[in-house]
């Protein structure tokens, strides 16, 4: 018979696992994430993830922040706000195929460079290489555009020669397709990460401590550090 403290520990873990899963499902399915804003501009992100991002940015102190998927520009403004507080020269490069919905706040921030093109386009790689040459230092990249597996995989391939050892990549919305939300979505970011690691197992390491820090994340399996 197992000791009582072991049974208590296992019982706590079971309850904790259920609690974070159901909170994640509640948070996503109620659409409250669509009502999350930064300085009045929609971000479409989890506040827990955003807090994690500012901690990573402070530790990494990147010269370049790369964002695939601008939407209204709330997250680009968030990244720029954090970087301004850090106080080192930087640029936020935000890429989206649609520019008409981007807020004036994001457009007027001189530290945000908005690129209107597909984040999977091969020509984007040359632009990013040029930016990195002009802004030496580390980089933080985040993927949050088209969530289909093939598109996310193409984005990761686009960054393969852009990110260097020590850089950080977050693949967002890997929670869809049943991880644990949106079960009927089909292969998405989570599956793209798995496929990328099958092809290139030594490009990144998972930062599971970051992923699990606040109980749940919109980027399960998606906090990656370049090796």
């Amino acid at each position: 018979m197992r000791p009582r403290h072991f049974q208590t520990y296992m019982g706590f873990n079971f309850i904790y696992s259920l609690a974070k899963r159901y909170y994640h499902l509640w948070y996503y399915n109620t659409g409250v994430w669509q009502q999350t804003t930064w300085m009045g501009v929609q971000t479409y992100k989890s506040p827990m993830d955003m807090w994690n991002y500012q901690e990573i940015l402070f530790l990494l102190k990147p010269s370049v922040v790369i964002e695939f998927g601008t939407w209204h520009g709330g997250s680009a403004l968030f990244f720029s706000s954090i970087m301004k507080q850090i106080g080192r020269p930087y640029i936020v490069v935000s890429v989206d195929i649609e520019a008409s919905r981007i807020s004036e706040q994001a457009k007027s921030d001189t530290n945000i460079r908005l690129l209107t093109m597909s984040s999977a386009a091969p020509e984007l790689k040359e632009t990013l290489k040029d930016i990195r040459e002009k802004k030496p230092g580390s980089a933080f990249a985040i993927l949050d555009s088209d969530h289909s597996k093939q598109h996310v995989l193409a984005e990761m391939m686009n960054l393969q020669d852009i990110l260097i050892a020590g850089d950080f990549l977050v693949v967002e919305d890997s929670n869809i397709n049943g991880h644990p939300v949106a079960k009927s979505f089909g292969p998405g970011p989570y599956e793209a990460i798995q496929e990328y690691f099958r092809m290139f197992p030594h490009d990144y390491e998972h930062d599971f401590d970051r992923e699990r820090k606040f109980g749940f994340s919109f980027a399960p399996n998606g906090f990656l550090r370049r090796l």
Side-chain angles (χ1 to χ4, degrees):
M1 185 173 179
R2 297 193 174 185
R4 182 179 296 276
H5 67 81
F6 178 82
Q7 295 174 349
T8 302
Y9 173 76
M10 294 302 293
F12 171 80
N13 274 356
F14 177 72
I15 293 171
Y16 168 72
S17 179
L18 280 180
K20 69 177 184 179
R21 175 182 175 83
Y22 282 110
Y23 181 76
H24 192 156
L25 289 167
W26 170 85
Y27 190 89
Y28 190 89
N29 292 334
T30 57
V32 67
W33 55 276
Q34 295 173 311
Q35 303 164 35
T36 304
T37 62
W38 179 259
M39 303 300 291
V41 182
Q42 284 181 310
T43 63
Y44 282 13
K45 296 192 185 301
S46 156
M48 282 73 80
D49 284 334
M50 293 173 73
W51 192 275
N52 235 337
Y53 300 157
Q54 65 84 18
E55 289 188 356
I56 295 169
L57 290 174
F58 182 77
L59 292 172
L60 190 62
K61 295 178 173 58
S63 56
V64 179
V65 175
I66 301 168
E67 176 186 54
F68 288 174
T70 310
W71 196 243
H72 293 298
S75 53
L77 282 169
F78 169 78
F79 295 133
S80 187
S81 298
I82 300 302
M83 293 305 302
K84 284 176 186 174
Q85 290 296 314
I86 292 172
R88 295 189 178 184
Y90 73 93
I91 185 172
V92 175
V93 183
S94 192
V95 184
D96 204 301
I97 58 172
E98 177 58 62
S100 63
R101 62 188 172 220
I102 300 174
S103 69
E104 289 304 317
Q105 295 100 306
K107 290 178 180 178
S108 63
D109 189 317
T110 56
N111 291 110
I112 297 175
R113 180 174 176 183
L114 300 168
L115 299 178
T116 307
M117 61 193 309
S118 170
S119 50
E123 57 267 28
L124 175 60
K125 187 182 296 186
E126 295 306 314
T127 301
L128 294 176
K129 281 183 179 179
D130 182 61
I131 291 171
R132 293 223 65 179
E133 287 176 3
K134 293 175 180 177
K135 294 280 188 180
S138 58
F140 174 88
I142 185 165
L143 312 186
D144 187 19
S145 60
D146 181 332
H147 300 323
S148 66
K149 174 186 173 181
Q150 290 307 313
H151 185 86
V152 176
L153 187 59
E155 291 179 323
M156 295 182 74
M157 294 297 297
N158 243 1
L159 291 174
Q160 189 178 30
D161 297 329
I162 302 301
L163 301 183
I164 60 175
D167 289 346
F168 211 98
L169 171 65
V170 177
V171 182
E172 279 208 326
D173 292 282
S174 49
N175 59 341
I176 63 175
N177 198 37
H179 307 288
V181 303
K183 289 184 179 180
S184 62
F185 183 87
Y190 194 98
E191 291 72 27
I193 297 166
Q194 290 179 316
E195 182 67 23
Y196 188 94
F197 269 78
R198 279 193 285 269
M199 295 188 295
F200 307 103
H202 305 298
D203 276 5
Y204 296 95
E205 64 178 357
H206 290 277
D207 191 337
F208 291 117
D209 288 339
R210 277 286 167 202
E211 175 189 331
R212 298 165 181 162
K213 183 170 185 177
F214 296 111
F216 86 97
S217 171
F218 276 17
N221 224 31
F223 283 74
L224 309 174
R225 188 181 293 106
R226 192 70 161 90
L227 297 173

